């Protein structure tokens, strides 16, 4: 739509890098700080992260270069593989296999989660490396995104959450194959977050 704007990730989000405390320091581990890894994102049911499989202590946090992002930020795995996504529901940090995208302005995190899900193939194309592909901070910061007005962001996310609920029930009832459903879901995300489907009735 003509009234939407195109921005880069760095214009809308503060990017938090991840890091790992030294593994041989027991006082750095088994604390109370949620520490996200690509495995956490890959094993999620749904899109919201309330807890992580491993946690670090305050000493562990202070010992490395990770940093907190506030609730409502988007976690993205940037290697092994690139493209797992989730919305954090508590202040969390991550390891070097992830980045946390903390909004700089008012925006709807669900819209951008669905946008990144729809654009995952393009995001993966920004990865570099010979042994395994990794998405650098610089490359991620320059990924282009579409920015509708905030009321339309909310309408899009409401529409897609309603559709996801319907698709989940459909899959349970009809035993539709997971790959086929994922392909349809991504196509739906793409059409809606790029404005090809009109969802203004949800505003």
């Amino acid at each position: 739509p003509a009234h939407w704007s195109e921005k880069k990730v760095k214009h809308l989000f503060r990017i938090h890098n991840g890091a790992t405390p030294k593994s041989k320091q027991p006082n750095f581990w088994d604390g109370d700080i949620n520490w996200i890894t690509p495995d956490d994102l890959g094993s999620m049911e749904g899109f919201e992260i309330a807890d992580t499989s491993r946690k670090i202590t305050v000493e562990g946090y202070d010992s490395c270069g990770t940093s907190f992002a506030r609730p409502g930020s988007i976690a993205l795995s940037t290697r092994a593989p690139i493209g797992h996504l989730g919305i954090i529901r508590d202040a969390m940090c991550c390891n070097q296999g992830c980045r946390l995208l903390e909004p700089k302005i008012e925006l709807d995190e669900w819209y951008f989660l669905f946008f990144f899900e729809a654009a995952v193939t393009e995001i993966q194309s920004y990865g570099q490396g010979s042994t395994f592909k990794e998405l650098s901070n610089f490359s991620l910061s320059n990924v282009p995104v579409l920015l509708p007005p905030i009321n339309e962001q909310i309408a899009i996310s409401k529409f897609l959450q309603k559709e996801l609920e319907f698709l989940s029930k459909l899959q349970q009832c009809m035993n539709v194959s997971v790959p086929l459903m994922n392909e349809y879901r991504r196509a739906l995300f793409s059409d809606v977050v790029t404005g090809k489907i009109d969802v203004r009735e949800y505003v």
Side-chain angles (χ1 to χ4, degrees):
H3 64 288
W4 292 17
S5 58
E6 183 176 308
K7 302 288 185 181
K8 293 184 177 180
V9 165
K10 63 185 176 183
H11 298 142
L12 303 180
F13 297 93
R14 177 189 173 194
I15 301 175
H16 292 262
N17 295 318
T20 301
K22 291 182 179 179
S23 58
K24 294 183 179 180
Q25 292 286 341
N27 60 313
F28 290 171
W29 298 93
D30 301 320
D32 298 320
I33 297 174
N34 282 307
W35 181 73
I36 305 167
T37 69
D39 285 343
D40 289 315
L41 295 174
S43 61
M44 288 169 49
E45 292 185 8
F47 290 109
E48 296 182 287
I49 312 168
D51 198 16
T52 58
S53 58
R54 300 195 71 186
K55 301 179 191 298
I56 60 176
T57 62
V58 173
E59 292 84 1
Y61 177 87
D62 291 338
S63 75
C64 64
T66 191
S67 63
F68 281 117
R70 60 182 171 82
S73 299
I74 297 172
L76 169 69
S77 65
T78 51
R79 69 183 190 193
I82 297 170
H84 289 321
L85 288 153
I87 297 172
I88 68 173
R89 288 308 179 205
D90 196 1
M92 296 185 185
C93 59
C94 63
N95 79 350
Q96 60 271 29
C98 301
R99 299 283 192 279
L100 302 180
L101 306 180
E102 182 176 308
K104 291 181 177 180
I105 63 171
E106 182 188 10
L107 53 78
D108 184 77
E109 65 267 31
W110 282 101
Y111 166 79
F112 282 96
L113 177 94
F114 293 137
F115 181 89
F116 292 135
E117 274 279 334
V120 68
T121 301
E122 182 180 351
I123 292 171
Q124 289 169 347
S125 73
Y126 282 76
Q128 297 177 321
S130 54
T131 306
F132 58 83
K133 295 291 185 182
E134 182 169 10
L135 185 64
S136 69
N137 191 311
F138 176 80
S139 295
L140 175 59
S141 69
N142 286 290
V143 170
V145 295
L146 293 177
L147 180 66
I150 184 64
N151 64 322
E152 292 186 45
Q153 294 175 38
I154 294 169
I156 287 168
S157 65
K158 285 182 177 179
F159 173 83
L160 285 173
Q161 287 180 73
K162 183 178 179 181
E163 288 298 302
L164 282 176
E165 184 179 352
F166 169 75
L167 290 174
S168 178
K169 291 177 180 177
L170 179 66
Q171 185 171 358
Q172 292 173 12
C173 293
M174 300 182 64
N175 196 26
V176 180
S177 72
V178 172
L180 182 62
M181 188 64 73
N182 287 341
E183 181 181 344
Y184 174 74
R185 186 178 71 172
R186 185 155 289 149
L188 178 66
F189 288 176
S190 179
D191 286 347
V192 177
V193 301
T194 57
K196 293 176 183 175
I197 296 177
D198 187 348
V199 298
R200 282 175 293 183
E201 65 183 273
Y202 288 82
V203 174

